[in-house]
Amino acid sequence: MQRLLGWLIVAGGMAVLLNEAWRGWADQADPRVMNALLGGGMAALATALGTVPVLVSRTIPARVHDSLLGFGAGMMLAACSFSLIVPGLESARSQGAGAWGSAFTIGTGIALGAAVMMALEHWLPHEHFIKGVEGGPNAEAIKRTLLFVFAIGLHNMPARLG
């Protein structure tokens, strides 16, 4: 009980210090920076709240799991569309391409990106939940750390190339 009380006092003190620092800084900051911080903070809070079901329930029914994966895939597709494709079309138009030319440019880029991802899927070692380790000639000998590095690289490649 004493330990809990101590942590509550520390948390309260940190909240007061952060509040005072925020007030002092917010008066001098650009409103756009404040809006960006508030938006980022809300996104971080939403991400943290999204972990609550995992913390509360260790097993999820298969239908819920599939629904969550589908929702996540849809969100990633929307993020790709709004963050990469639409600005790419606008950029191609600003460089002198017409409507069809800019669509062809972006469509070609998407097709090339998909081809590169398929080639990487085929040649780089990776691990599936169901099938296990696959890809490359000696995939069984690859350590989990290397698989993790490839997974992060594959995940970040579209954003870096786009």
Side-chain angles (χ1 to χ4, degrees):
M1 185 65 177
Q2 291 176 344
R3 181 174 279 182
L4 177 63
L5 182 62
W7 281 111
L8 288 174
I9 291 171
V10 169
M14 292 297 291
V16 169
L17 284 174
L18 288 173
N19 185 29
E20 290 300 318
W22 178 266
R23 282 186 182 180
W25 186 74
D27 292 339
Q28 301 169 1
D30 186 0
R32 293 174 294 185
V33 173
M34 295 303 298
N35 290 336
L37 283 174
L38 288 173
M42 290 178 69
L45 182 63
T47 302
L49 287 175
T51 63
V52 171
V54 175
L55 295 174
V56 174
S57 171
R58 292 292 178 192
T59 58
I60 303 174
R63 291 183 75 181
V64 173
H65 184 263
D66 292 344
S67 298
L68 291 174
L69 285 177
F71 179 75
M75 292 296 290
M76 292 302 289
L77 187 60
C80 176
S81 297
F82 298 128
S83 298
L84 299 174
I85 295 173
V86 173
L89 289 170
E90 292 172 1
S91 177
R93 279 192 164 185
S94 71
Q95 293 178 2
W100 286 99
S102 60
F104 179 76
T105 301
I106 299 303
T108 303
I110 291 171
L112 286 173
V116 167
M117 294 303 287
M118 288 175 62
L120 290 173
E121 167 79 17
H122 179 73
W123 292 106
L124 290 179
H126 56 279
E127 188 170 5
H128 295 277
F129 289 115
I130 296 171
K131 292 192 246 177
V133 179
E134 69 176 47
N138 295 322
E140 292 293 333
I142 303 294
K143 294 184 177 180
R144 286 189 174 277
T145 305
L146 189 56
L147 292 173
F148 180 73
V149 169
F150 282 138
I152 297 298
L154 287 173
H155 177 266
N156 290 330
M157 189 171 290
R160 299 288 181 227
L161 295 176

